[in-house]
Amino acid sequence: LAEIQDTDQFPDVVITDYHMPKKNGSDVAIYIRNSFPGTKIILLTGNDVTEGVGELVDQILLKPVKAKELVASIHSILGSK
């Protein structure tokens, strides 16, 4: 989050993990939605237990994620952008 907090540019997409040392994917998604409403969010998780986060993100991918799957997900949520 530190990298995008001090910018006036809006990222097109943010890819984040659900489990992190200081925050979780829900915290990141809420911050992104409030700060950058047009930004798409892809959540990576090692399990399918992501209660309450589904409506905060655009896609959830189960790890391990293959590069091809991640690229396809990015193309899918960004459309023709």
Side-chain angles (χ1 to χ4, degrees):
L1 288 179
E3 286 78 19
I4 62 174
Q5 285 177 332
D6 297 327
T7 183
D8 57 350
Q9 297 180 352
F10 294 86
D12 291 328
V13 64
V14 170
I15 302 166
T16 186
D17 200 345
Y18 185 76
H19 293 286
M20 295 175 283
K22 295 182 182 179
K23 296 192 180 292
N24 66 34
S26 295
D27 297 332
V28 173
I30 290 168
Y31 174 79
I32 296 297
R33 287 290 178 239
N34 290 332
S35 301
F36 308 103
T39 296
K40 305 293 186 186
I41 303 170
I42 298 173
L43 179 74
L44 307 178
T45 183
N47 58 47
D48 58 1
V49 181
T50 52
E51 267 183 49
V53 76
E55 62 274 359
L56 296 172
V57 301
D58 296 284
Q59 285 196 346
I60 297 174
L61 298 178
L62 293 177
K63 296 188 292 185
V65 177
K66 295 183 180 191
K68 197 174 195 178
E69 182 183 6
L70 182 58
V71 169
S73 178
I74 293 167
H75 283 290
S76 171
I77 64 171
L78 291 180
S80 61
K81 194 171 192 178

